[in-house]
Structures are given as structure tokens and as C-alpha cells.
Amino acid sequence: MYFKQIQTPGLGCFSYVLGCPAARQCLVVDPRRDIDCYLEIARDEGMRIAAVIETHLHADHVSGGQELRATTGAAIHIHPGAGVAYPHEPLREGQVIEAGAARLEVLYTPGHTPNSVSLLVSDLARSPEPALLLTGDVLFVGDIGRPDLPGAEILDEQVQNLFDSLYGTFSDLPPDLEVYPAHGQGSLCGRGMSAKGVSTLGYERRTNPMLRFTDFAAFKKAVLTRLPARPKSFSHIIETNRHGARLRDNCPVEHELSPERFAALLETPGVAVIDTRDAAAYGGAHIPGSLNIGFEKQLANWVGMSVAPGAKLLLVAADRERASAMRLELFRIGYDDILGHLAGGMAAWTLSGRPVASLPQMSVHALAAALAGSAPPLLLDVRTDAEWEDGHIAQALHRPFADILERGPDVCLTGPVAVVCGSGYRSNIIGSALARAGCADVRSVAGGMTAWTRAGFPTVA
């Protein structure tokens, strides 16, 4: 049996290719939207992609199922409860799908979504006994799937389903089964996922804190405590996957825009400018009204929290290669309406004589001095509740990142404002958003709480 796990950096997604070179066919499980890697594997191993299997209706990334079906003719298999609007083959409990020596048995394991399945995998060239368990988003390495994404109205039912899947359906499976999830570290589909991509069922039973409860009430309380923020993009991605994403060839063609053309497109209704440069570069000079979402490995999650799905996007990047890389990240989460990127970057914009703005980067030493002065700035700490409880600056006002983006800071911002986060990344996003909303005197704390504590300044719990 051929088996390969494929990781998508940043989003923390895992997809899988299983097949049999001798039988010249393979299956792809939970594919990402850009499908070249699957086509290359199939070509290199002499296999045809016979089917696509979705373990559930994904919320954090657009599936590559439509691309694979259009390119290879492979049928898409998904649980009928997903309610998808495109042609598909229904996955049912106990159903078996084979590709030569690779044998997959479907287990219905709702909880992360009402339509989640797991896949028991056997290598028939060695034994009919299952060797692997593809758990989708029900069980991760070190954590379990969050049950709240399908909606609050079925949350109680989802938690019960999750408990039944983990403590019931999986209970009779052998401990030596290798566990391969659909997500790992970096995903927002769980909370405390390991960086490892594989575990065993026995090891998870012994060490995964979410598999060690003796009663449902305690399990439910733990599941609903400190759920991660839900990016605004998730609903859009779910519906995109439900209806079937448009093919890449039907997405707008990438354009390199002169400063003149870029400035003209700024007047387009619903347009948003994302500046992908680092905090220092953006702080020094940027296009007024642009949002700073620096190019780092989890940028897709931050875009999903910060930018409304369906927005028409203009990009500012350090160079053409970084702009293309950003476009791919946006494509993976369904942000397809990209009008183009600024040719020549901020240097070209500045030399064209157009207005620029700045976002001052405040050192932690300057912050400490300002807080001790007679007219201290309003200090907004935009970290999560858990980060705040682990230690914060005494004078800080806590407003979590996601709450500010959704409802605003809910405080008067007529005076100077300093924004702090863990490292300075989120504070630049919030700082740029506040400036766009009309806050006249805002600065971002460079290095965030990491720099504050390393400089020896005090915190309170």
C-alpha cells in the first residue's frame, strides 16, 4: 500500500494519498485546494486518482475536491448529512472503499460536525487487520475537535456526539492503531494540538487530556472552556465547500498594478488593502487605510479573522514572489477576488508622490516610561483570555483581538492609544484597524509581552 501524509503549512491541514502502485490507482483524503502535489504523486507512482474522500465539511480551508474531479474525473465521497449541492457519492457507516491493497472502512463519528467520518485503513498486502485510523477532525494528536463550528443551536447535541464518538465508537478499536488527523498545530479546529502529525490510539488514551474523563458532565465542561475564536471566514468557507468551490481557472487573473491603477482601484466599493510586510516596514510607511497582516505561517487564520469574506482585495508585498505566495494562501481559504498587487511595492507608491501613513512602533522601554508619566496612553491588551490570565501589565485594558475586530474596542479612543499583544504581530493588525477607523494617535508595542517580560518589567495575574 502506498501512503503519504501531506501538510499544508500555516493552516495546519493534513491530507492523505492512499493507493496501490500495482493496481495503478489511489485515493485522496481531505485535499487542499491547490492540487499539484496530488497530481505529481499520482504521476510519479504511476497511479490514477480514482476517488476523493472528505471526512467532513471543512470550515478552515476550501477543499480541492472540485479541482481534482475536474482534472481527473474522480468522484467525491462525503457523508450525506453534509448536504452538499454538487454531484457526490454518499459515505455510510461500514462502507468499504478499496484501491488495490489499500482498504478503507467508514466509521460515522459525528461531533466536530454532524457529518464527520473516520476511516479505518488496512494494507491488504500485509493483513486485513486495520493498521491506521484517519480521524478527520474528531481526534487530533493531543486534542479533540471543537464542536461549536456548525452553530450554537446544535452545540449540546454536538458535544454529546463528540463524546459518543471518542468514548464509544473508538473504544473497541485496538490501541496500536496509528492515528492520522486532518489537522495539527496551527489549526483553529482545536486548541492544544501537537506539532506531531501521527500518534497511536493507545498513546492518545493515556496522554490526551480530553480522552481521560470518567463522566460526560466533566467532559462537556472542559470542551466548552476557552474555545478558540471563530474567524469570520469560517461560515463563508463552509458554504463554499457545501456548494463546491469555483475552479482556479475561473478565478480572477493576477494583475501587477502601477501606483496610478492601484490608486484608482482604491475607490472600488468593498475594497480592502492588505499590506503583507513586517511590522517595522509597515510602521514606517504604508498606504493610508491599509491593514497590516504580515506574511507569517498562520497568516491565513489572521486574514480570516480580520477581513470580510467576499471583499475585493488589493495587496502590498515586499516583492512579486511574496505577492504570489500571498495569493496562494488566500486561494486556500476562498478569498478569490484579488484585484492585484502593487508593482514596485511601497517604494513605487512613495515615489509617485501619493500620501503615506505610519504606525509608530513603541518600544517596551518607552511604554514603561509613558505609563509612569503624568498622561499615560490607553493600553489595549488584545491577547486571548488565557494569555491575559497568565500575566499582563497592571495598567492594561483587556480587549481580545477577535472582539475588537467584531465590535470595536468599546472605549473612548480620543487620546493616545498603545496596543500590545504577544509579539507585536496582532497589535499591528489592530493598530492599523484602529487607524483606519479614525483613531488619530495609535502605536503598536514592538515585541509585545514577550519583549516586556524579557526586559524585566513586572506583570500581574
Side-chain angles (χ1 to χ4, degrees):
M1 179 183 75
Y2 179 90
F3 177 81
K4 187 174 182 63
Q5 181 187 66
I6 297 166
Q7 181 179 15
T8 303
L11 286 170
C13 300
F14 292 124
S15 56
Y16 299 90
V17 178
L18 304 91
C20 181
R24 296 186 176 276
Q25 57 180 321
C26 64
L27 314 168
V28 180
V29 178
D30 293 331
R32 67 191 188 195
R33 197 177 183 189
D34 47 308
I35 63 169
D36 289 349
C37 58
Y38 313 115
L39 301 178
E40 290 173 5
I41 288 171
R43 181 182 64 247
D44 292 346
E45 300 295 332
M47 299 184 293
R48 177 180 65 87
I49 298 175
V52 174
I53 300 175
E54 302 281 10
T55 59
H56 61 288
L57 199 64
H58 297 282
D60 70 329
H61 71 279
V62 174
S63 167
Q66 303 301 320
E67 295 281 340
L68 283 170
R69 183 174 63 177
T71 303
T72 69
I76 302 173
H77 298 250
I78 192 169
H79 191 273
V84 297
Y86 54 80
H88 64 282
E89 299 293 331
L91 287 175
R92 304 190 184 277
E93 172 74 21
Q95 179 181 348
V96 173
I97 301 173
E98 294 186 354
R103 180 184 188 272
L104 286 68
E105 179 184 346
V106 177
L107 300 179
Y108 179 47
T109 52
H112 175 66
T113 73
N115 53 76
S116 297
V117 302
S118 299
L119 302 167
L120 269 175
V121 181
S122 300
D123 181 356
L124 298 179
R126 302 185 65 189
S127 169
E129 294 183 8
L132 318 175
L133 179 63
L134 304 186
T135 57
D137 279 7
V138 174
L139 174 63
F140 300 125
V141 179
D143 194 19
I144 61 174
R146 59 190 293 183
D148 61 308
L149 296 182
E153 63 277 5
I154 61 169
L155 181 56
D156 287 342
E157 176 187 347
Q158 281 287 95
V159 176
Q160 183 67 61
N161 285 340
L162 191 58
F163 183 83
D164 293 343
S165 294
L166 294 168
Y167 288 81
T169 304
F170 287 170
S171 63
D172 293 331
L173 298 178
D176 58 350
L177 275 179
E178 293 182 355
V179 170
Y180 287 90
H183 284 94
Q185 190 177 66
S187 169
L188 292 178
C189 291
R191 290 173 296 190
M193 286 174 268
S194 169
K196 290 188 64 179
V198 60
S199 184
T200 66
L201 195 53
Y203 189 75
E204 290 305 305
R205 286 170 178 160
R206 295 193 304 273
T207 64
N208 189 324
M210 300 306 296
L211 296 187
R212 300 168 68 185
F213 290 96
T214 57
D215 64 89
F216 174 71
F219 172 83
K220 181 176 182 179
K221 181 179 180 180
V223 166
L224 298 180
T225 300
R226 293 184 175 182
L227 285 169
R230 188 185 198 276
K232 62 183 69 177
S233 61
F234 275 18
S235 295
H236 170 71
I237 292 172
I238 290 171
E239 289 309 305
T240 297
N241 285 330
R242 194 186 310 279
H243 293 282
R246 59 179 170 177
L247 301 180
R248 192 168 192 172
D249 288 346
N250 295 331
C251 294
V253 176
E254 182 173 357
H255 293 289
E256 193 169 49
L257 305 170
S258 68
E260 291 75 19
R261 181 59 180 154
F262 195 99
L265 289 172
L266 282 174
E267 305 303 318
T268 304
V271 74
V273 181
I274 300 178
D275 191 320
T276 70
R277 296 172 301 146
D278 63 33
Y282 177 87
H286 59 264
I287 296 172
S290 62
L291 190 66
N292 183 218
I293 306 179
F295 200 98
E296 62 108 60
K297 62 182 180 180
Q298 292 188 32
L299 71 88
N301 289 331
W302 301 121
V303 170
M305 288 194 180
S306 309
V307 181
K312 300 181 187 302
L313 301 179
L314 291 167
L315 305 181
V316 178
D319 51 45
R320 182 182 301 159
E321 291 71 26
R322 189 54 60 90
S324 295
M326 182 66 176
R327 187 181 182 87
L328 175 59
E329 296 290 335
L330 294 170
F331 176 76
R332 287 173 172 166
I333 58 172
Y335 284 71
D336 295 345
D337 293 326
I338 303 172
L339 303 180
H341 69 270
L342 179 62
M346 275 305 299
W349 180 270
T350 303
L351 289 172
S352 74
R354 288 175 167 79
V356 297
S358 62
L359 178 62
Q361 302 295 297
M362 189 179 203
S363 74
V364 294
H365 299 275
L367 175 62
L371 292 175
S374 58
L378 172 65
L379 178 60
L380 284 181
D381 187 324
V382 301
R383 297 175 301 154
T384 64
D385 291 340
E387 290 175 297
W388 170 265
E389 291 166 6
D390 285 342
H392 57 270
I393 299 170
Q395 299 95 320
L397 181 67
H398 186 218
R399 292 292 185 272
F401 179 90
D403 290 354
I404 291 180
L405 289 174
E406 184 177 352
R407 296 185 289 271
D410 194 29
V411 290
C412 179
L413 301 179
T414 56
V417 178
V419 186
V420 66
C421 66
S423 66
Y425 184 88
R426 285 170 289 175
S427 63
N428 246 47
I429 298 176
I430 292 297
S432 59
L434 294 179
R436 185 172 57 180
C439 182
D441 187 0
V442 60
R443 69 282 314 267
S444 174
V445 179
M449 289 302 296
T450 299
W452 178 270
T453 56
R454 288 179 179 174
F457 294 120
T459 62
V460 297

